[in-house]
């Protein structure tokens, strides 16, 4: 009754300054903890790689002997070679085929494109173990005709099966972005459709092709479950080999050294790519601003 | 695009149909029949005898473990992953690509090796303890906490990426409008930002839930074989070449996956948030 003067709070204003302060500290702590959690395994791998002792539970001294030793570990080298062999074949083929498949899918009517894109998601969403197990059963049926099918061939086929969809998924949005008139213009100028595809469309979608290639390589190099079921004749990739060796509790620290090198290499590669990308963009911007001034 | 290029999709349609459907049909057939490597063609018959496996207590426990761990992992990844994705979106750092790269960088090193090194530092005497002097985990080696920790931090990048993709697409004008119309920042988040990013949450959840549900390497390494997931049973059936049982369990997992894909298509028609 007495207090019917409206306060600022009645208009919906609340003082959050105190809460915001607490929240911002809490936020920072949480971010640090989560990033630590994400990087914990990488940090431990790096520490193990520079540990002098072969014993994984005690840190004795810093030493780079395991790095020098990578080339001497025959089994490890063989696994690395196999991994790169399978992944490079699968990545090159998947990038090449996936690009043309994506163009083909894009040319379909919207309705059937949605349907096929849905099917294209199956290898990505399907659990590795189901994909791996079912492909293994199919290859086993083929064994009646080709007895020595398991090994490099089945691994490459299986890797193609799950890498092509990634290439298509990253090329498709770029195709949607390209100007449909581009193709028409090229053909009006007398170029045959497939030549126009290679000369005009492919250059326009090359960013998508490149990111598709990177994704395919990433998925292929790190794959464990699908490869596990589809390899044979002792053709182990790195994941399968590590999985088998940790069962025997006898993993050479050179693996950690190799993994750390690979992580550093990827990091440098990505930062370099980003840097180059930026420079290119910067140049373009300069050019644009120059054009703006001159016009 | 030129209709002539439709031809280019033909080989892929054949490839996809063969490699998606033939293995699945083979799998279903094998789980319903007495087919094995030592049987002659004339003796092949359909049978439901393998279905007994589904009522064995070890199978039921494995399914329960898989489902509980997958749900818990998905939920924790959702809470923490959404938070990180949102922080990346809000951050004043201009180059978001670099931040995202740092989030997914761990995924580039070998999954099995990362899991193994986590298992190492979860035991009582470990390399971190010998450097920093105390045990950051206590002694959780082989327990459910070890498995949960490994799963959450292995699959969280998927959630962060999906949610960030969805968050990035939200028009800032909408947020401004919400603030202008008198919502508090917190209400703005719940009423505007979160619903608009929900598509990304669904995609991210599926991308965390499915590999966790069907995984076998992480639980095996981190629980030291004590916690059995359904994937571990399939792996054992594979090692002992009991393909009928393995196929049957894989079919059950497949049913879960189809359900999830169906859910995804309700929210995201052409898989835009998948990448």
């Amino acid at each position: 009754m007495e207090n019917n003067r409206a306060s600022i709070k009645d208009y919906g204003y609340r003082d959050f300054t105190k809460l915001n302060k607490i929240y911002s500290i809490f936020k920072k702590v949480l971010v640090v903890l989560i990033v630590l959690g994400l990087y914990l395994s990488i940090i431990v791998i790096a520490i193990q790689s520079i540990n002098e002792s072969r014993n994984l539970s005690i840190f004795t001294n810093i030493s780079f002997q395991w790095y020098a030793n990578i080339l001497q570990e025959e089994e490890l080298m063989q696994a690395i070679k196999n991994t790169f062999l399978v992944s490079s074949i699968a990545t090159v083929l998947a990038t090449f085929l996936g690009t043309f498949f994506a163009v083909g899918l894009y040319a379909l009517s919207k309705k059937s494109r949605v349907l096929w894109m849905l099917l294209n998601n199956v290898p990505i969403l399907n659990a590795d173990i189901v994909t791996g197990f079912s492909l293994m059963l199919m290859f086993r049926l083929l064994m009646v005709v080709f007895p020595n099918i398991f090994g490099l061939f089945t691994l490459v086929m299986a890797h193609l099966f799950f890498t092509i969809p990634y290439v298509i998924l990253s090329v498709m949005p770029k195709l949607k972005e390209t100007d449909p008139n581009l193709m028409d213009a090229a053909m009006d100028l007398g170029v045959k459709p497939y030549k126009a595809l290679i000369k005009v469309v492919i250059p326009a979608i090359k960013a998508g092709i490149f990111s598709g290639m990177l994704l395919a390589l990433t998925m292929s190099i790190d794959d464990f479950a699908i490869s596990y079921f589809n390899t044979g004749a002792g053709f182990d990739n790195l994941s399968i080999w590590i999985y088998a060796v940790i069962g025997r509790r006898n993993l050479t620290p050179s693996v950690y050294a190799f993994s750390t090198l690979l992580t550093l290499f990827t990091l440098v590669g990505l930062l370099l790519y980003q840097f180059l990308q930026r420079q290119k963009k910067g140049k373009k911007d300069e050019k644009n601003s120059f054009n703006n001034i001159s016009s | 695009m030129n209709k002539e290029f439709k031809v280019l999709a033909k080989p892929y349609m054949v490839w996809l149909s063969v490699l998606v459907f033939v293995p699945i049909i083979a799998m279903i057939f094998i789980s319903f029949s007495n087919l094995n490597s030592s049987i002659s063609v004339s003796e092949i018959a359909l049978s439901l005898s393998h279905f007994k496996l589904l009522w064995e207590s070890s199978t039921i426990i494995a399914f329960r473990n898989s489902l509980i761990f997958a749900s818990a992992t998905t939920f924790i990844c959702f809470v923490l992953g959404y938070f990180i994705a949102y922080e990346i979106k809000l951050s004043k750092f201009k180059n978001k690509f670099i931040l995202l790269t740092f989030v997914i960088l761990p995924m580039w090193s070998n999954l099995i090796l990362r899991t193994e090194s986590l298992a190492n530092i979860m035991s009582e005497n470990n390399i971190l303890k010998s450097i920093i002097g105390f045990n950051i985990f206590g002694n959780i080696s082989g327990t459910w906490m070890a498995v949960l920790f490994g799963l959450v931090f292995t699959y969280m990048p998927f959630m962060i990426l999906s949610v960030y993709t969805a968050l990035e697409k939200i028009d800032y004008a909408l947020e401004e409008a919400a603030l202008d119309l008198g919502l508090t920042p917190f209400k703005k988040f719940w009423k505007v930002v979160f619903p608009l990013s929900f598509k990304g949450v669904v995609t991210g959840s599926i991308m965390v839930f499915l590999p966790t549900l069907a995984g076998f390497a992480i639980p095996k390494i981190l629980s030291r074989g004590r916690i059995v997931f359904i994937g571990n049973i399939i792996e054992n059936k594979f090692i002992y070449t009991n393909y009928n049982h393995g196929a049957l369990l894989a079919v059950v997992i497949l049913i879960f996956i189809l359900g999830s894909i169906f859910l995804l298509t309700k929210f995201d028609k052409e898989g835009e948030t998948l990448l």
Side-chain angles (χ1 to χ4, degrees), chain A residues 152-193:
Chain A
L152 180 62
F153 176 76
T154 47
L155 266 191
V156 170
M157 288 294 276
H159 279 227
L160 276 180
F161 178 62
F162 70 81
T163 49
I164 291 176
Y166 282 104
V167 177
I168 292 180
L169 265 190
S170 50
V171 169
M172 196 55 93
K174 290 283 166 214
L175 277 174
K176 285 182 186 161
E177 278 169 23
T178 52
D179 189 343
N181 295 325
L182 215 64
M183 189 75 194
D184 292 340
M187 277 161 56
D188 283 349
L189 291 170
V191 184
K192 294 235 165 62

Side-chain angles (χ1 to χ4, degrees), chain B residues 77-150:
Chain B
C77 280
F78 157 62
V79 174
L80 300 182
Y82 198 105
F83 170 73
I84 291 287
Y86 198 62
E87 284 304 305
I88 292 178
K89 182 187 145 81
L90 290 184
S91 82
K92 294 188 186 76
F93 199 71
K94 261 204 185 135
N95 200 335
K96 301 289 163 69
F97 181 84
I98 290 202
L99 291 182
L100 287 177
T101 305
F102 274 103
V103 166
I104 50 176
L105 186 69
M107 280 165 62
W108 263 293
S109 62
N110 194 291
L111 171 71
I112 308 292
L113 199 62
R114 272 188 288 148
T115 312
E116 161 70 4
S117 68
L118 274 186
N120 282 342
I121 55 164
M122 280 169 180
S123 51
E124 201 174 354
N125 287 309
N126 61 57
I127 197 160
L128 271 187
K129 191 183 176 189
S130 80
I131 295 173
I132 56 177
F134 63 96
N135 218 335
I136 55 169
F137 283 110
N139 185 13
I140 64 168
S141 173
T143 64
W144 62 269
M145 282 181 284
V147 178
L148 195 62
F149 183 89

Side-chain angles (χ1 to χ4, degrees), chain A residues 83-101:
Chain A
T83 309
F84 279 111
L85 185 65
V86 172
S87 297
S88 47
I89 297 176
T91 306
V92 170
L93 281 178
T95 311
F96 181 77
L97 295 172
T99 305
F100 287 102
F101 291 160

Side-chain angles (χ1 to χ4, degrees), chain B residues 4-55:
Chain B
E4 210 173 307
F5 295 142
K6 275 184 188 174
V7 189
L8 290 174
K10 287 272 150 57
Y12 191 54
M13 291 171 174
V14 175
W15 161 273
L16 256 190
S17 313
V18 169
L19 288 184
V20 169
F21 292 116
V22 173
I24 290 176
I25 292 169
M27 201 165 69
I28 295 173
F29 177 72
I30 286 169
S31 63
F32 275 101
S33 76
N34 57 356
L35 185 73
N36 60 42
S37 53
S38 60
I39 201 168
S40 67
V41 180
S42 56
E43 285 174 63
I44 295 175
L46 291 181
S47 84
L48 292 174
S49 61
H50 309 303
F51 278 70
K52 276 188 296 204
L53 174 76
L54 292 183
W55 280 270

Side-chain angles (χ1 to χ4, degrees), chain B residues 199-223:
Chain B
K199 203 160 97 172
V201 174
V202 174
T203 310
S205 301
I206 288 174
M207 293 187 70
V208 173
F209 186 80
L210 288 183
T212 321
L213 180 79
F216 61 96
I218 298 178
K220 186 174 172 179
I221 296 170
L222 286 177
S223 79

